[in-house]
Amino acid sequence: MSDFDQLRTRIRQFAEERDWQQYHSPKNLAMALIVEAAELVEHFQWLNEAQSQALSQDKLFQVGEELADIQIYLIRLADQLNVDLPDAVDKKIAANAKKYPAEKVRGSARKYNEF
């Protein structure tokens, strides 16, 4: 079993042990994911670029907790929808490599249809 599969199983078991499946509809999980993403963004609100790259250890811990919440909800959502998340990521990276060939886009933030 891969590390990802083990993590997905742990998250699934955690929800099952608490009888939370009843609340874990795709809609509810997607909404919870966005809430957690907003909580992550809150840690960076009003910081400039340099400040955002030099977080204190306490702030990094808090950001790590938000990232973990996001990951948990994302994995749970994929599990509920039977989406093979590692495979979907691999396919998306391959598609992005075609959209954004390194030799054409290196150093540019333009969208694929602008170059």
mmCIF file of all heavy atoms in Angstrom, residues 44-82:
data_model
loop_
_atom_site.group_PDB
_atom_site.id
_atom_site.type_symbol
_atom_site.label_atom_id
_atom_site.label_comp_id
_atom_site.label_asym_id
_atom_site.label_seq_id
_atom_site.Cartn_x
_atom_site.Cartn_y
_atom_site.Cartn_z
ATOM 1 N N PHE A 44 -1.603 35.181 5.614
ATOM 2 C CA PHE A 44 -0.757 35.980 4.726
ATOM 3 C C PHE A 44 -1.345 37.350 4.416
ATOM 4 O O PHE A 44 -0.675 38.180 3.800
ATOM 5 C CB PHE A 44 -0.516 35.222 3.423
ATOM 6 C CG PHE A 44 0.249 33.942 3.636
ATOM 7 C CD1 PHE A 44 -0.411 32.724 3.743
ATOM 8 C CD2 PHE A 44 1.628 33.958 3.747
ATOM 9 C CE1 PHE A 44 0.298 31.552 3.951
ATOM 10 C CE2 PHE A 44 2.339 32.788 3.957
ATOM 11 C CZ PHE A 44 1.677 31.586 4.061
ATOM 12 N N GLN A 45 -2.575 37.559 4.858
ATOM 13 C CA GLN A 45 -3.239 38.833 4.583
ATOM 14 C C GLN A 45 -2.415 39.978 5.162
ATOM 15 O O GLN A 45 -1.970 39.923 6.299
ATOM 16 C CB GLN A 45 -4.644 38.824 5.198
ATOM 17 C CG GLN A 45 -5.476 40.015 4.837
ATOM 18 C CD GLN A 45 -6.884 39.882 5.402
ATOM 19 O OE1 GLN A 45 -7.160 39.080 6.280
ATOM 20 N NE2 GLN A 45 -7.787 40.678 4.869
ATOM 21 N N TRP A 46 -2.212 40.976 4.359
ATOM 22 C CA TRP A 46 -1.521 42.223 4.720
ATOM 23 C C TRP A 46 -0.003 42.081 4.805
ATOM 24 O O TRP A 46 0.675 43.040 5.138
ATOM 25 C CB TRP A 46 -2.057 42.827 6.021
ATOM 26 C CG TRP A 46 -3.551 42.863 6.068
ATOM 27 C CD1 TRP A 46 -4.337 42.305 7.027
ATOM 28 C CD2 TRP A 46 -4.440 43.476 5.135
ATOM 29 N NE1 TRP A 46 -5.655 42.521 6.756
ATOM 30 C CE2 TRP A 46 -5.752 43.242 5.583
ATOM 31 C CE3 TRP A 46 -4.275 44.188 3.940
ATOM 32 C CZ2 TRP A 46 -6.883 43.688 4.914
ATOM 33 C CZ3 TRP A 46 -5.405 44.636 3.263
ATOM 34 C CH2 TRP A 46 -6.686 44.382 3.752
ATOM 35 N N LEU A 47 0.541 40.906 4.519
ATOM 36 C CA LEU A 47 1.995 40.761 4.508
ATOM 37 C C LEU A 47 2.528 41.112 3.124
ATOM 38 O O LEU A 47 1.875 40.858 2.109
ATOM 39 C CB LEU A 47 2.402 39.316 4.828
ATOM 40 C CG LEU A 47 1.988 38.733 6.173
ATOM 41 C CD1 LEU A 47 2.533 37.319 6.317
ATOM 42 C CD2 LEU A 47 2.434 39.618 7.324
ATOM 43 N N ASN A 48 3.728 41.653 3.086
ATOM 44 C CA ASN A 48 4.350 41.853 1.782
ATOM 45 C C ASN A 48 5.065 40.554 1.395
ATOM 46 O O ASN A 48 5.086 39.588 2.173
ATOM 47 C CB ASN A 48 5.293 43.074 1.795
ATOM 48 C CG ASN A 48 6.448 42.926 2.760
ATOM 49 O OD1 ASN A 48 6.975 41.830 2.968
ATOM 50 N ND2 ASN A 48 6.854 44.036 3.369
ATOM 51 N N GLU A 49 5.660 40.532 0.210
ATOM 52 C CA GLU A 49 6.300 39.301 -0.274
ATOM 53 C C GLU A 49 7.389 38.812 0.685
ATOM 54 O O GLU A 49 7.449 37.625 1.019
ATOM 55 C CB GLU A 49 6.896 39.532 -1.669
ATOM 56 C CG GLU A 49 5.868 39.729 -2.759
ATOM 57 C CD GLU A 49 4.992 38.520 -2.979
ATOM 58 O OE1 GLU A 49 5.478 37.374 -2.916
ATOM 59 O OE2 GLU A 49 3.785 38.720 -3.218
ATOM 60 N N ALA A 50 8.247 39.714 1.121
ATOM 61 C CA ALA A 50 9.343 39.320 2.019
ATOM 62 C C ALA A 50 8.810 38.762 3.334
ATOM 63 O O ALA A 50 9.309 37.745 3.835
ATOM 64 C CB ALA A 50 10.268 40.513 2.268
ATOM 65 N N GLN A 51 7.815 39.418 3.892
ATOM 66 C CA GLN A 51 7.234 38.939 5.155
ATOM 67 C C GLN A 51 6.596 37.566 4.985
ATOM 68 O O GLN A 51 6.674 36.716 5.878
ATOM 69 C CB GLN A 51 6.194 39.939 5.668
ATOM 70 C CG GLN A 51 6.790 41.246 6.140
ATOM 71 C CD GLN A 51 5.719 42.309 6.370
ATOM 72 O OE1 GLN A 51 4.705 42.362 5.675
ATOM 73 N NE2 GLN A 51 5.969 43.159 7.363
ATOM 74 N N SER A 52 5.973 37.346 3.841
ATOM 75 C CA SER A 52 5.305 36.060 3.611
ATOM 76 C C SER A 52 6.301 34.910 3.487
ATOM 77 O O SER A 52 5.939 33.753 3.676
ATOM 78 C CB SER A 52 4.410 36.129 2.369
ATOM 79 O OG SER A 52 5.176 36.112 1.180
ATOM 80 N N GLN A 53 7.553 35.242 3.188
ATOM 81 C CA GLN A 53 8.587 34.219 3.058
ATOM 82 C C GLN A 53 9.435 34.082 4.324
ATOM 83 O O GLN A 53 10.355 33.262 4.363
ATOM 84 C CB GLN A 53 9.477 34.545 1.860
ATOM 85 C CG GLN A 53 8.713 34.455 0.559
ATOM 86 C CD GLN A 53 9.563 34.848 -0.634
ATOM 87 O OE1 GLN A 53 10.782 34.826 -0.574
ATOM 88 N NE2 GLN A 53 8.908 35.198 -1.724
ATOM 89 N N ALA A 54 9.149 34.868 5.348
ATOM 90 C CA ALA A 54 9.940 34.847 6.576
ATOM 91 C C ALA A 54 9.032 34.724 7.796
ATOM 92 O O ALA A 54 9.107 35.513 8.732
ATOM 93 C CB ALA A 54 10.787 36.115 6.655
ATOM 94 N N LEU A 55 8.170 33.718 7.777
ATOM 95 C CA LEU A 55 7.228 33.523 8.873
ATOM 96 C C LEU A 55 7.942 33.009 10.115
ATOM 97 O O LEU A 55 8.908 32.241 10.031
ATOM 98 C CB LEU A 55 6.141 32.529 8.463
ATOM 99 C CG LEU A 55 5.296 32.902 7.245
ATOM 100 C CD1 LEU A 55 4.322 31.770 6.923
ATOM 101 C CD2 LEU A 55 4.567 34.211 7.439
ATOM 102 N N SER A 56 7.445 33.405 11.269
ATOM 103 C CA SER A 56 7.979 32.898 12.532
ATOM 104 C C SER A 56 7.661 31.408 12.656
ATOM 105 O O SER A 56 6.786 30.880 11.961
ATOM 106 C CB SER A 56 7.347 33.653 13.705
ATOM 107 O OG SER A 56 5.968 33.310 13.818
ATOM 108 N N GLN A 57 8.351 30.739 13.563
ATOM 109 C CA GLN A 57 8.094 29.313 13.779
ATOM 110 C C GLN A 57 6.652 29.068 14.212
ATOM 111 O O GLN A 57 6.027 28.104 13.780
ATOM 112 C CB GLN A 57 9.079 28.744 14.812
ATOM 113 C CG GLN A 57 10.486 28.599 14.285
ATOM 114 C CD GLN A 57 10.554 27.693 13.064
ATOM 115 O OE1 GLN A 57 10.002 26.598 13.044
ATOM 116 N NE2 GLN A 57 11.233 28.166 12.032
ATOM 117 N N ASP A 58 6.128 29.934 15.066
ATOM 118 C CA ASP A 58 4.741 29.796 15.503
ATOM 119 C C ASP A 58 3.786 29.946 14.317
ATOM 120 O O ASP A 58 2.846 29.166 14.159
ATOM 121 C CB ASP A 58 4.413 30.835 16.580
ATOM 122 C CG ASP A 58 2.991 30.704 17.085
ATOM 123 O OD1 ASP A 58 2.603 29.590 17.516
ATOM 124 O OD2 ASP A 58 2.248 31.714 17.037
ATOM 125 N N LYS A 59 4.040 30.942 13.480
ATOM 126 C CA LYS A 59 3.180 31.164 12.313
ATOM 127 C C LYS A 59 3.305 29.996 11.332
ATOM 128 O O LYS A 59 2.298 29.546 10.768
ATOM 129 C CB LYS A 59 3.543 32.482 11.644
ATOM 130 C CG LYS A 59 2.632 32.871 10.496
ATOM 131 C CD LYS A 59 1.187 33.056 10.903
ATOM 132 C CE LYS A 59 0.973 34.379 11.580
ATOM 133 N NZ LYS A 59 -0.477 34.648 11.784
ATOM 134 N N LEU A 60 4.508 29.472 11.148
ATOM 135 C CA LEU A 60 4.691 28.307 10.272
ATOM 136 C C LEU A 60 3.917 27.107 10.785
ATOM 137 O O LEU A 60 3.339 26.350 10.005
ATOM 138 C CB LEU A 60 6.171 27.957 10.147
ATOM 139 C CG LEU A 60 6.975 28.757 9.148
ATOM 140 C CD1 LEU A 60 8.454 28.400 9.256
ATOM 141 C CD2 LEU A 60 6.467 28.559 7.738
ATOM 142 N N PHE A 61 3.902 26.926 12.097
ATOM 143 C CA PHE A 61 3.127 25.835 12.684
ATOM 144 C C PHE A 61 1.648 26.007 12.352
ATOM 145 O O PHE A 61 0.975 25.060 11.941
ATOM 146 C CB PHE A 61 3.339 25.777 14.198
ATOM 147 C CG PHE A 61 2.503 24.727 14.864
ATOM 148 C CD1 PHE A 61 2.893 23.395 14.841
ATOM 149 C CD2 PHE A 61 1.309 25.067 15.499
ATOM 150 C CE1 PHE A 61 2.118 22.415 15.446
ATOM 151 C CE2 PHE A 61 0.531 24.094 16.098
ATOM 152 C CZ PHE A 61 0.926 22.769 16.071
ATOM 153 N N GLN A 62 1.129 27.216 12.525
ATOM 154 C CA GLN A 62 -0.275 27.497 12.243
ATOM 155 C C GLN A 62 -0.586 27.291 10.755
ATOM 156 O O GLN A 62 -1.629 26.720 10.402
ATOM 157 C CB GLN A 62 -0.629 28.921 12.660
ATOM 158 C CG GLN A 62 -0.572 29.148 14.161
ATOM 159 C CD GLN A 62 -0.708 30.609 14.529
ATOM 160 O OE1 GLN A 62 -1.314 31.389 13.812
ATOM 161 N NE2 GLN A 62 -0.123 30.986 15.655
ATOM 162 N N VAL A 63 0.303 27.747 9.890
ATOM 163 C CA VAL A 63 0.124 27.545 8.449
ATOM 164 C C VAL A 63 0.134 26.052 8.130
ATOM 165 O O VAL A 63 -0.682 25.564 7.338
ATOM 166 C CB VAL A 63 1.206 28.316 7.658
ATOM 167 C CG1 VAL A 63 1.280 27.857 6.210
ATOM 168 C CG2 VAL A 63 0.943 29.818 7.730
ATOM 169 N N GLY A 64 1.037 25.314 8.775
ATOM 170 C CA GLY A 64 1.079 23.866 8.573
ATOM 171 C C GLY A 64 -0.220 23.183 8.963
ATOM 172 O O GLY A 64 -0.673 22.254 8.283
ATOM 173 N N GLU A 65 -0.829 23.640 10.035
ATOM 174 C CA GLU A 65 -2.121 23.072 10.438
ATOM 175 C C GLU A 65 -3.196 23.338 9.395
ATOM 176 O O GLU A 65 -4.023 22.470 9.105
ATOM 177 C CB GLU A 65 -2.538 23.631 11.792
ATOM 178 C CG GLU A 65 -1.754 23.044 12.948
ATOM 179 C CD GLU A 65 -2.340 23.401 14.297
ATOM 180 O OE1 GLU A 65 -2.857 24.527 14.464
ATOM 181 O OE2 GLU A 65 -2.287 22.531 15.186
ATOM 182 N N GLU A 66 -3.197 24.536 8.835
ATOM 183 C CA GLU A 66 -4.188 24.854 7.793
ATOM 184 C C GLU A 66 -3.928 24.023 6.537
ATOM 185 O O GLU A 66 -4.874 23.518 5.911
ATOM 186 C CB GLU A 66 -4.176 26.347 7.455
ATOM 187 C CG GLU A 66 -4.518 27.272 8.605
ATOM 188 C CD GLU A 66 -5.837 27.002 9.291
ATOM 189 O OE1 GLU A 66 -6.716 26.319 8.730
ATOM 190 O OE2 GLU A 66 -6.002 27.476 10.431
ATOM 191 N N LEU A 67 -2.665 23.878 6.165
ATOM 192 C CA LEU A 67 -2.335 23.047 5.006
ATOM 193 C C LEU A 67 -2.779 21.601 5.231
ATOM 194 O O LEU A 67 -3.298 20.954 4.316
ATOM 195 C CB LEU A 67 -0.831 23.105 4.719
ATOM 196 C CG LEU A 67 -0.310 24.419 4.159
ATOM 197 C CD1 LEU A 67 1.210 24.445 4.187
ATOM 198 C CD2 LEU A 67 -0.843 24.669 2.764
ATOM 199 N N ALA A 68 -2.597 21.111 6.455
ATOM 200 C CA ALA A 68 -3.031 19.745 6.774
ATOM 201 C C ALA A 68 -4.546 19.619 6.661
ATOM 202 O O ALA A 68 -5.060 18.633 6.104
ATOM 203 C CB ALA A 68 -2.564 19.354 8.174
ATOM 204 N N ASP A 69 -5.276 20.615 7.166
ATOM 205 C CA ASP A 69 -6.738 20.586 7.040
ATOM 206 C C ASP A 69 -7.155 20.545 5.573
ATOM 207 O O ASP A 69 -8.053 19.784 5.193
ATOM 208 C CB ASP A 69 -7.365 21.814 7.708
ATOM 209 C CG ASP A 69 -7.362 21.737 9.226
ATOM 210 O OD1 ASP A 69 -7.281 20.631 9.783
ATOM 211 O OD2 ASP A 69 -7.448 22.819 9.864
ATOM 212 N N ILE A 70 -6.506 21.356 4.766
ATOM 213 C CA ILE A 70 -6.814 21.388 3.330
ATOM 214 C C ILE A 70 -6.544 20.025 2.706
ATOM 215 O O ILE A 70 -7.378 19.495 1.955
ATOM 216 C CB ILE A 70 -5.996 22.495 2.630
ATOM 217 C CG1 ILE A 70 -6.499 23.868 3.065
ATOM 218 C CG2 ILE A 70 -6.050 22.346 1.107
ATOM 219 C CD1 ILE A 70 -5.563 25.016 2.714
ATOM 220 N N GLN A 71 -5.398 19.451 3.021
ATOM 221 C CA GLN A 71 -5.039 18.143 2.465
ATOM 222 C C GLN A 71 -6.030 17.069 2.897
ATOM 223 O O GLN A 71 -6.445 16.240 2.095
ATOM 224 C CB GLN A 71 -3.616 17.780 2.897
ATOM 225 C CG GLN A 71 -3.126 16.472 2.360
ATOM 226 C CD GLN A 71 -2.637 16.563 0.941
ATOM 227 O OE1 GLN A 71 -3.076 17.386 0.156
ATOM 228 N NE2 GLN A 71 -1.723 15.699 0.600
ATOM 229 N N ILE A 72 -6.423 17.089 4.153
ATOM 230 C CA ILE A 72 -7.370 16.092 4.658
ATOM 231 C C ILE A 72 -8.698 16.194 3.915
ATOM 232 O O ILE A 72 -9.243 15.187 3.450
ATOM 233 C CB ILE A 72 -7.561 16.247 6.177
ATOM 234 C CG1 ILE A 72 -6.291 15.787 6.916
ATOM 235 C CG2 ILE A 72 -8.793 15.473 6.669
ATOM 236 C CD1 ILE A 72 -6.227 16.194 8.379
ATOM 237 N N TYR A 73 -9.228 17.394 3.793
ATOM 238 C CA TYR A 73 -10.503 17.552 3.086
ATOM 239 C C TYR A 73 -10.374 17.195 1.610
ATOM 240 O O TYR A 73 -11.282 16.604 1.021
ATOM 241 C CB TYR A 73 -11.049 18.971 3.246
ATOM 242 C CG TYR A 73 -11.737 19.196 4.566
ATOM 243 C CD1 TYR A 73 -11.373 20.252 5.392
ATOM 244 C CD2 TYR A 73 -12.770 18.365 4.996
ATOM 245 C CE1 TYR A 73 -12.007 20.464 6.611
ATOM 246 C CE2 TYR A 73 -13.407 18.568 6.207
ATOM 247 C CZ TYR A 73 -13.018 19.617 7.010
ATOM 248 O OH TYR A 73 -13.648 19.824 8.207
ATOM 249 N N LEU A 74 -9.251 17.531 1.002
ATOM 250 C CA LEU A 74 -9.048 17.213 -0.409
ATOM 251 C C LEU A 74 -9.001 15.700 -0.622
ATOM 252 O O LEU A 74 -9.655 15.167 -1.529
ATOM 253 C CB LEU A 74 -7.756 17.868 -0.903
ATOM 254 C CG LEU A 74 -7.423 17.673 -2.371
ATOM 255 C CD1 LEU A 74 -8.497 18.295 -3.253
ATOM 256 C CD2 LEU A 74 -6.066 18.295 -2.667
ATOM 257 N N ILE A 75 -8.272 15.016 0.230
ATOM 258 C CA ILE A 75 -8.187 13.559 0.118
ATOM 259 C C ILE A 75 -9.541 12.923 0.394
ATOM 260 O O ILE A 75 -9.961 11.996 -0.306
ATOM 261 C CB ILE A 75 -7.105 13.005 1.068
ATOM 262 C CG1 ILE A 75 -5.714 13.426 0.571
ATOM 263 C CG2 ILE A 75 -7.205 11.486 1.198
ATOM 264 C CD1 ILE A 75 -4.594 13.146 1.552
ATOM 265 N N ARG A 76 -10.249 13.425 1.382
ATOM 266 C CA ARG A 76 -11.574 12.876 1.708
ATOM 267 C C ARG A 76 -12.554 13.105 0.562
ATOM 268 O O ARG A 76 -13.335 12.210 0.208
ATOM 269 C CB ARG A 76 -12.092 13.523 3.000
ATOM 270 C CG ARG A 76 -13.374 12.924 3.511
ATOM 271 C CD ARG A 76 -13.137 11.589 4.189
ATOM 272 N NE ARG A 76 -14.394 11.130 4.758
ATOM 273 C CZ ARG A 76 -14.919 9.928 4.516
ATOM 274 N NH1 ARG A 76 -14.290 9.056 3.782
ATOM 275 N NH2 ARG A 76 -16.069 9.599 5.051
ATOM 276 N N LEU A 77 -12.504 14.285 -0.054
ATOM 277 C CA LEU A 77 -13.376 14.582 -1.193
ATOM 278 C C LEU A 77 -13.070 13.655 -2.366
ATOM 279 O O LEU A 77 -13.986 13.085 -2.978
ATOM 280 C CB LEU A 77 -13.222 16.049 -1.597
ATOM 281 C CG LEU A 77 -14.002 16.522 -2.822
ATOM 282 C CD1 LEU A 77 -15.493 16.320 -2.638
ATOM 283 C CD2 LEU A 77 -13.685 18.000 -3.081
ATOM 284 N N ALA A 78 -11.807 13.492 -2.671
ATOM 285 C CA ALA A 78 -11.425 12.579 -3.756
ATOM 286 C C ALA A 78 -11.876 11.161 -3.455
ATOM 287 O O ALA A 78 -12.370 10.448 -4.344
ATOM 288 C CB ALA A 78 -9.915 12.632 -3.977
ATOM 289 N N ASP A 79 -11.751 10.746 -2.205
ATOM 290 C CA ASP A 79 -12.176 9.413 -1.795
ATOM 291 C C ASP A 79 -13.681 9.245 -1.983
ATOM 292 O O ASP A 79 -14.143 8.241 -2.524
ATOM 293 C CB ASP A 79 -11.783 9.177 -0.338
ATOM 294 C CG ASP A 79 -11.963 7.741 0.120
ATOM 295 O OD1 ASP A 79 -11.859 6.813 -0.704
ATOM 296 O OD2 ASP A 79 -12.186 7.545 1.338
ATOM 297 N N GLN A 80 -14.442 10.231 -1.569
ATOM 298 C CA GLN A 80 -15.905 10.152 -1.703
ATOM 299 C C GLN A 80 -16.342 10.100 -3.170
ATOM 300 O O GLN A 80 -17.371 9.520 -3.486
ATOM 301 C CB GLN A 80 -16.566 11.346 -1.014
ATOM 302 C CG GLN A 80 -16.473 11.326 0.500
ATOM 303 C CD GLN A 80 -17.217 10.166 1.114
ATOM 304 O OE1 GLN A 80 -16.680 9.065 1.254
ATOM 305 N NE2 GLN A 80 -18.449 10.381 1.475
ATOM 306 N N LEU A 81 -15.563 10.728 -4.039
ATOM 307 C CA LEU A 81 -15.907 10.760 -5.467
ATOM 308 C C LEU A 81 -15.190 9.677 -6.276
ATOM 309 O O LEU A 81 -15.334 9.619 -7.498
ATOM 310 C CB LEU A 81 -15.574 12.137 -6.051
ATOM 311 C CG LEU A 81 -16.417 13.290 -5.517
ATOM 312 C CD1 LEU A 81 -15.868 14.620 -6.010
ATOM 313 C CD2 LEU A 81 -17.878 13.121 -5.912
ATOM 314 N N ASN A 82 -14.427 8.828 -5.580
ATOM 315 C CA ASN A 82 -13.652 7.768 -6.240
ATOM 316 C C ASN A 82 -12.694 8.324 -7.299
ATOM 317 O O ASN A 82 -12.535 7.743 -8.368
ATOM 318 C CB ASN A 82 -14.576 6.704 -6.842
ATOM 319 C CG ASN A 82 -15.345 5.965 -5.793
ATOM 320 O OD1 ASN A 82 -14.772 5.534 -4.790
ATOM 321 N ND2 ASN A 82 -16.643 5.850 -5.968
#
